[in-house]
Amino acid sequence: MNICVIGTGYVGLVTGAVFAELGNDVICVDSAAEKIDLLNKNKIPFFEPGLEEMVVRNRNEERLSFTTDIARGVRASEIIFICVNTPTLDNGETDLAYIKSAARDIALALNGDKTIVNKSTVPVGTGDLVLETINEHKNEGFNVDVVSNPEFLREGSAIRDALSPDRIIIGASTKKVAFRLMELYATLEAPILITNLYTAEIIKYASNAFLATKISFINSIANLCEQTGADVEDVARGMGYDKRIGRDFLNAGLGFGGSCFPKDVKSLLSTSAGFGYRFDILKHVMETNNGRAAHFLELIKTRFPDLNGKTVAVLGLSFKPDTDDMREAKSIEIIKALLEESVIIQAYDPVAMQRAREMFPDIRYCRNAYEACDGADAMLLVTEWREFRLLNMEKIKNSMKHPIIFDGRNIYDPERKKRLGFEYYCFGRGKWPKSS
Ligand SMILES: NC(=O)c1ccc[n+]([C@@H]2O[C@H](COP(=O)([O-])OP(=O)(O)OC[C@H]3O[C@@H](n4cnc5c(N)ncnc54)[C@H](O)[C@@H]3O)[C@@H](O)[C@H]2O)c1
């Protein structure tokens, strides 16, 4: 099938590469010329395991190409995927300007009947908006169907998620339109749910908001554990054995960041309010999450009432492991607060340092975790990269000025760290020290 993918960000590029890998002819379009230039040189604008190889292979086999010319992509394709960004406006609403602009450009380029598939995460009713925008700008005589096919891939495992999704959601006005898209997914072994457009749009938000709720829930339990001396890790384990609950997303720590959860929870809150419904649970989910970095800093300040001039190792900068995405990363809030206290920061992240430099040009970036910890008064574990679980802690301890760990993701075993001679702090594993 001939496919056009509009937007070559995390979702669009992975979608384009995977559909090409499945044997389709794919044209990926982006309005950002610098991204297209990079892609045409076989360079990927962001870090995603396995993506570069897949892009290069499919470009070489001429199933995948990149352009800024949306009209070319639209004219050559039967199915057009919209994968543009949908950021949050200051008032919490979703900014649909990129969606509208893509819809208008599609309409102006139409040369036949097309199926327009929205993969971007958009508030309920956006499918109608896309169709209205296209109808407003298109020439008479061409028929357009709009389908919602929300994307659930996770950065860091995007290729695997796209090739083996837990489910495929197709929201369409008729079964006939839905079946057209189903054909494209026929080779993937995944349950397919066909529903209407509004339902498909809500499924995406409901899923992300529910996962975010799990995270804020366990973080609230961690707060209680800190008051009582209980251990949140055992609580999560004890809860997780219950199949109705499951262990995933019950990890106490600094909370969620990234380009999806905060944005999607805010958007669902705002959409609900627009329909006159107060989605109060989600307000608390956001409040709890927004308080996590401050809670971590409070712990650090209990141990170091005067941080001025202290040297701190910050391990992990991206919003989660296996990505260089820094959007709404917890490291940003933490580094900003530490800089205000005149802390000297020695940071290390396996892939996100280039992006971090754009935000914090003046902190010291290190070649590895050992260099970051060298001479430090404390180590702050901010992103749970696998390599941080495997560090030679004896070496770290000997190089630090004070062997103190603040574990923002609860990845270490407190008893082992204490046996090794570290002062160790984390979330919800026993009572917190009282400030002096
Ligand atoms: N990143 C994720 O993990 C993820 C997962 C599932 C769903 N989503 C959703 O998918 C959508 C895209 O997310 P992303 O992370 O890939 O965004 P992104 O910001 O990485 O990429 C979006 C791309 O679209 C391009 N673009 C914007 N308007 C355009 C237009 N009119 N014509 C051509 N190109 C245009 C931008 O230049 C950019 O390269 C969002 O709605 C997001 O919520 C993201």
Coordinates of all heavy atoms in Angstrom, one line a residue, residues 82 84-104 118-130 132-133 201 205 263-264 267 270-271:
I82 N -1.6 11.2 10.2 CA -1.3 12.4 10.9 C -0.6 12.1 12.2 O -1.2 11.5 13.1 CB -2.5 13.4 11.1 CG1 -3.2 13.7 9.8 CG2 -2.0 14.6 11.8 CD1 -4.4 14.6 9.9
V84 N 1.5 14.5 14.0 CA 2.1 15.8 14.4 C 1.9 16.0 15.9 O 1.2 15.3 16.6 CB 1.5 17.0 13.7 CG1 1.7 16.8 12.2 CG2 0.0 17.2 14.0
N85 N 2.7 16.9 16.5 CA 2.7 17.1 17.9 C 1.3 17.8 18.3 O 0.8 18.6 17.5 CB 3.9 18.0 18.4 CG 4.3 19.0 17.4 OD1 4.1 18.8 16.2 ND2 4.8 20.1 17.8
T86 N 0.9 17.5 19.5 CA -0.3 18.1 20.1 C 0.0 18.7 21.5 O -0.5 18.1 22.5 CB -1.5 17.1 20.1 OG1 -1.0 15.9 20.7 CG2 -2.0 16.8 18.7
P87 N 0.7 19.7 21.6 CA 1.2 20.2 22.9 C 0.0 20.8 23.7 O -1.1 21.0 23.2 CB 2.2 21.2 22.6 CG 2.0 21.7 21.2 CD 1.2 20.6 20.5
T88 N 0.3 21.1 25.0 CA -0.7 21.7 25.8 C -0.6 23.2 25.8 O 0.6 23.7 25.9 CB -0.5 21.2 27.3 OG1 -0.2 19.8 27.3 CG2 -1.7 21.5 28.1
L89 N -1.7 23.9 25.7 CA -1.6 25.4 25.9 C -1.6 25.7 27.3 O -1.8 24.9 28.2 CB -2.9 26.0 25.2 CG -3.0 25.8 23.7 CD1 -4.5 26.1 23.3 CD2 -2.1 26.7 23.0
D90 N -1.3 27.0 27.6 CA -1.1 27.4 29.0 C -2.4 27.2 29.8 O -2.4 26.9 31.0 CB -0.8 28.9 29.1 CG 0.7 29.2 28.7 OD1 1.4 28.2 28.7 OD2 1.0 30.3 28.4
N91 N -3.6 27.2 29.1 CA -4.8 27.0 29.9 C -5.2 25.5 30.0 O -6.3 25.2 30.5 CB -6.0 27.8 29.2 CG -6.2 27.2 27.8 OD1 -5.6 26.3 27.4 ND2 -7.1 27.8 27.0
G92 N -4.3 24.6 29.6 CA -4.5 23.2 29.8 C -5.1 22.5 28.6 O -5.2 21.3 28.5
E93 N -5.7 23.4 27.7 CA -6.3 22.8 26.5 C -5.2 22.3 25.5 O -4.0 22.7 25.6 CB -7.1 23.9 25.7 CG -8.4 24.2 26.4 CD -9.1 25.3 25.7 OE1 -8.9 25.6 24.5 OE2 -10.0 26.0 26.4
T94 N -5.6 21.4 24.6 CA -4.7 20.9 23.6 C -4.6 21.8 22.4 O -5.6 22.3 21.9 CB -5.1 19.5 23.2 OG1 -5.2 18.7 24.3 CG2 -4.2 18.9 22.2
D95 N -3.3 22.1 22.0 CA -3.1 23.0 20.9 C -3.3 22.1 19.6 O -2.5 21.3 19.3 CB -1.7 23.5 21.0 CG -1.4 24.5 19.9 OD1 -2.2 24.7 19.0 OD2 -0.3 25.1 19.9
L96 N -4.3 22.4 18.9 CA -4.6 21.6 17.7 C -4.2 22.3 16.4 O -4.5 21.9 15.3 CB -6.1 21.3 17.6 CG -6.6 20.4 18.7 CD1 -8.1 20.2 18.7 CD2 -5.9 19.0 18.6
A97 N -3.3 23.4 16.6 CA -2.9 24.2 15.4 C -2.2 23.3 14.4 O -2.4 23.4 13.2 CB -2.0 25.3 15.8
Y98 N -1.3 22.4 14.9 CA -0.5 21.5 13.9 C -1.4 20.5 13.2 O -1.2 20.2 12.0 CB 0.6 20.8 14.7 CG 1.5 21.7 15.4 CD1 1.3 22.0 16.8 CD2 2.5 22.4 14.8 CE1 2.2 22.9 17.5 CE2 3.3 23.3 15.4 CZ 3.2 23.5 16.8 OH 4.0 24.4 17.4
I99 N -2.4 20.0 13.9 CA -3.4 19.1 13.3 C -4.2 19.8 12.2 O -4.3 19.3 11.1 CB -4.4 18.6 14.4 CG1 -3.7 17.7 15.5 CG2 -5.6 17.9 13.8 CD1 -3.5 16.3 15.1
K100 N -4.7 21.0 12.5 CA -5.5 21.8 11.6 C -4.6 22.1 10.3 O -5.1 22.0 9.2 CB -6.0 23.1 12.2 CG -7.2 22.9 13.1 CD -7.9 24.2 13.4 CE -8.1 24.4 14.8 NZ -8.5 25.7 15.3
S101 N -3.4 22.5 10.6 CA -2.5 22.9 9.5 C -2.3 21.7 8.6 O -2.3 21.8 7.3 CB -1.2 23.5 10.0 OG -0.2 23.3 9.2
A102 N -2.0 20.5 9.2 CA -1.8 19.3 8.4 C -3.1 18.9 7.6 O -3.0 18.6 6.4 CB -1.4 18.1 9.3
A103 N -4.3 19.1 8.2 CA -5.5 18.8 7.6 C -5.7 19.7 6.4 O -6.2 19.2 5.3 CB -6.7 18.9 8.5
R104 N -5.4 21.0 6.6 CA -5.6 21.9 5.5 C -4.7 21.6 4.3 O -5.1 21.6 3.1 CB -5.3 23.3 6.0 CG -5.9 24.4 5.1 CD -5.3 25.8 5.3 NE -3.8 25.6 5.2 CZ -2.9 26.1 6.0 NH1 -3.3 26.8 7.0 NH2 -1.6 25.9 5.8
N118 N -5.7 9.5 12.0 CA -5.1 10.4 13.1 C -4.4 9.5 14.1 O -5.1 8.8 14.8 CB -6.1 11.3 13.7 CG -5.5 12.3 14.5 OD1 -4.3 12.5 14.4 ND2 -6.2 12.9 15.4
K119 N -3.1 9.6 14.2 CA -2.3 8.8 15.2 C -1.9 9.7 16.4 O -1.6 9.3 17.4 CB -1.1 8.2 14.6 CG -1.2 6.8 14.4 CD 0.1 6.1 14.2 CE -0.1 4.6 13.9 NZ -0.8 3.9 14.9
S120 N -2.0 11.0 16.1 CA -1.6 12.0 17.2 C -2.7 11.8 18.3 O -3.8 11.4 18.1 CB -1.7 13.4 16.7 OG -0.7 13.7 15.8
T121 N -2.3 12.1 19.6 CA -3.2 12.0 20.7 C -4.0 13.3 20.7 O -3.4 14.4 20.9 CB -2.4 11.9 22.0 OG1 -1.6 10.7 21.9 CG2 -3.3 11.7 23.2
V122 N -5.3 13.2 20.5 CA -6.1 14.4 20.4 C -7.4 14.2 21.2 O -8.0 13.1 21.3 CB -6.5 14.6 18.9 CG1 -5.3 15.1 18.1 CG2 -7.1 13.4 18.3
P123 N -8.0 15.4 21.6 CA -9.2 15.3 22.4 C -10.4 14.8 21.6 O -10.4 14.9 20.4 CB -9.4 16.8 22.8 CG -8.2 17.5 22.6 CD -7.4 16.7 21.6
V124 N -11.3 14.2 22.3 CA -12.5 13.7 21.6 C -13.2 14.8 20.8 O -13.4 15.9 21.2 CB -13.5 13.0 22.7 CG1 -13.9 14.0 23.7 CG2 -14.7 12.4 22.0
G125 N -13.5 14.4 19.6 CA -14.1 15.4 18.6 C -13.2 15.9 17.6 O -13.6 16.5 16.6
T126 N -11.9 15.6 17.8 CA -10.9 16.1 16.8 C -11.0 15.5 15.4 O -10.7 16.1 14.4 CB -9.4 16.0 17.4 OG1 -9.4 16.6 18.7 CG2 -8.4 16.6 16.5
G127 N -11.5 14.3 15.4 CA -11.7 13.6 14.1 C -12.7 14.4 13.3 O -12.5 14.7 12.1
D128 N -13.7 14.9 13.9 CA -14.7 15.8 13.2 C -14.1 17.1 12.8 O -14.3 17.5 11.6 CB -15.9 16.2 14.2 CG -16.7 15.0 14.6 OD1 -16.6 13.9 13.9 OD2 -17.5 15.1 15.5
L129 N -13.2 17.6 13.6 CA -12.5 18.9 13.2 C -11.7 18.7 12.0 O -11.6 19.5 11.1 CB -11.7 19.3 14.4 CG -10.8 20.6 14.2 CD1 -11.7 21.8 14.3 CD2 -9.7 20.7 15.2
V130 N -11.0 17.5 11.9 CA -10.1 17.2 10.8 C -11.0 17.1 9.5 O -10.7 17.7 8.5 CB -9.3 15.9 11.0 CG1 -8.6 15.4 9.8 CG2 -8.3 16.1 12.1
E132 N -14.0 18.4 9.0 CA -14.5 19.7 8.6 C -13.4 20.6 7.9 O -13.7 21.2 7.0 CB -14.9 20.5 9.9 CG -16.3 20.1 10.4 CD -16.5 20.5 11.9 OE1 -15.8 21.5 12.4 OE2 -17.2 19.8 12.6
T133 N -12.2 20.6 8.5 CA -11.1 21.4 7.9 C -10.8 20.9 6.5 O -10.7 21.7 5.6 CB -9.9 21.2 8.8 OG1 -10.2 21.5 10.1 CG2 -8.8 22.2 8.3
E201 N -10.7 7.9 20.4 CA -10.0 9.1 20.9 C -9.9 9.1 22.4 O -8.9 9.4 23.0 CB -10.7 10.4 20.4 CG -10.4 10.6 18.9 CD -11.3 11.7 18.3 OE1 -12.4 12.1 18.8 OE2 -10.9 12.2 17.2
Y205 N -6.6 8.6 25.9 CA -6.4 9.4 27.1 C -6.7 8.6 28.3 O -6.1 8.7 29.4 CB -7.4 10.6 27.0 CG -6.9 11.7 26.2 CD1 -7.4 11.9 24.9 CD2 -5.8 12.5 26.6 CE1 -6.9 12.9 24.1 CE2 -5.3 13.5 25.8 CZ -5.9 13.7 24.5 OH -5.4 14.7 23.7
K263 N 1.0 15.9 29.7 CA 0.1 16.5 28.7 C -1.2 15.8 28.6 O -2.3 16.5 28.5 CB 0.9 16.4 27.4 CG 0.1 16.7 26.1 CD 1.0 16.7 24.9 CE 1.2 15.4 24.2 NZ 0.0 14.8 23.6
D264 N -1.2 14.5 28.6 CA -2.5 13.8 28.3 C -3.5 13.9 29.5 O -4.7 14.1 29.4 CB -2.3 12.4 28.0 CG -1.5 12.2 26.6 OD1 -1.4 13.3 25.9 OD2 -1.1 11.1 26.3
S267 N -4.9 17.4 29.4 CA -5.8 17.5 28.3 C -7.2 16.8 28.6 O -8.2 17.4 28.4 CB -5.2 16.9 27.0 OG -6.2 16.9 26.0
S270 N -9.0 19.0 31.0 CA -9.6 20.2 30.3 C -10.7 19.8 29.4 O -11.8 20.5 29.3 CB -8.4 20.9 29.5 OG -8.9 21.4 28.4
T271 N -10.6 18.7 28.7 CA -11.7 18.2 27.8 C -12.9 17.9 28.7 O -14.1 18.3 28.3 CB -11.3 16.9 27.0 OG1 -10.1 17.2 26.3 CG2 -12.4 16.5 26.1

